[in-house]
Amino acid sequence: MDQRFSRQLALTNFGDTAQKNLARSRVLVIGAGGVGSTVIPSLAAAGVGTVGVIDDDRVELSNLHRQHMHRLLDVGHKKVISAVERVADLSPATQVVAIDQKLTPQNALALFADFDLVVDGSDNYPTHYLAADAAEITGIPMVWGWACEFGAQAGVSWPARGGGFRDLHPLPPELAAVDMNAVHGVFPGAVSVIASIVTSEAIKIAAQVGTPLINRTTHYDAFTGEFTEVLYERAADASPITELTDYRALCGYVDTDEWPTC
């Protein structure tokens, strides 16, 4: 086992304690798509003990240019099954909890209660707000990241330690202004870079090393190769989140009863 993780154990300020923290950690990943496709196997490879994956979607051919966990022969199959198979090939010691569901206000709190950390790799604002609120209520940190076109961003929502997702985004954008990958496209390099940053933040928090991206977000422009950082802080008048709400209505999804896919 030491040989498998020898390059991590050799890191200054990492070592045995951090590796044992990873082995005890339970991380829930929302979405097995672009971001999750990189995060899930990377967490397993690093030695995270339990990785939960929640996604009810199936692999499509258009996914494969950026969702490298899935293969051509997985097209048409459930993404959570593909995730289980890839992790089993890579790290049999990692337990994978496959949750073939959408994350909703009805199941979020019960699911989050079984984990220490959540990674939001979804691509819609109702799920972003739901995940952030459920994480705050259950008292666990949330690492988030997404990409659209050539741009991508990532951060950590952890109101117990600093700013949360709602401090950065007090109100959702207008529905018409929300970039959708199916319409605007997504550059695979942007996804890979931001997913690696999300993975790094999740590993640091789970291993209890380094400085998480609290009160700041990282933005990456793959078209120019530039990184920028946006600073924010906990709102002085912020009230603790104590219950979940109707996130479809909050984000303008008023013409459908369907919950958005992660």
Side-chain angles (χ1 to χ4, degrees), residues 169-183:
H169 297 284
L171 295 172
E174 293 291 331
L175 190 59
V178 176
D179 288 332
M180 303 298 291
N181 290 340
V183 177

Side-chain angles (χ1 to χ4, degrees), residues 49-70:
T50 301
V51 177
V53 183
I54 180 167
D55 196 317
D56 74 331
D57 204 5
R58 294 180 181 272
V59 180
E60 298 178 7
L61 190 60
S62 62
N63 298 153
L64 300 184
H65 89 292
R66 67 194 184 282
Q67 299 181 19
H68 303 148
M69 180 173 64
H70 310 301

Side-chain angles (χ1 to χ4, degrees), residues 43-227:
L43 292 179
V48 170
T50 301
V51 177
V53 183
I54 180 167
D55 196 317
D56 74 331
D57 204 5
R58 294 180 181 272
V59 180
E60 298 178 7
L61 190 60
S62 62
N63 298 153
L64 300 184
H65 89 292
R66 67 194 184 282
Q67 299 181 19
H68 303 148
M69 180 173 64
H70 310 301
R71 302 165 300 175
L72 185 60
L73 57 82
D74 295 319
V75 171
H77 296 167
K78 287 287 190 175
K79 288 184 177 180
V80 290
I81 301 304
S82 179
V84 169
E85 292 173 350
R86 296 296 83 69
V87 172
D89 291 341
L90 183 64
S91 178
T94 298
Q95 178 185 4
V96 183
V97 180
I99 306 165
D100 182 14
Q101 303 175 33
K102 293 179 181 180
L103 185 73
T104 69
Q106 289 70 43
N107 64 19
L109 294 179
L111 289 173
F112 282 28
D114 288 334
F115 294 90
D116 314 309
L117 166 67
V118 62
V119 172
D120 176 17
S122 65
D123 63 0
N124 64 83
Y125 274 87
T127 303
H128 298 328
Y129 281 97
L130 167 59
D133 287 358
E136 181 172 350
I137 292 171
T138 52
I140 61 176
M142 181 183 87
V143 183
W144 56 268
W146 64 73
C148 189
E149 299 186 76
F150 288 92
Q153 55 183 286
V156 173
S157 177
W158 202 349
R161 300 276 186 97
F165 188 80
R166 283 182 177 268
D167 297 300
L168 182 64
H169 297 284
L171 295 172
E174 293 291 331
L175 190 59
V178 176
D179 288 332
M180 303 298 291
N181 290 340
V183 177
H184 298 282
V186 59
F187 186 65
V191 178
S192 297
V193 169
I194 215 66
S196 294
I197 292 172
V198 168
T199 299
S200 296
E201 293 304 306
I203 290 174
K204 288 191 302 182
I205 292 172
Q208 300 177 34
V209 301
T211 303
L213 271 172
I214 300 174
N215 291 344
R216 54 202 174 97
T217 64
T218 292
H219 294 240
Y220 174 60
D221 184 340
F223 198 73
T224 65
E226 295 177 324
F227 285 91

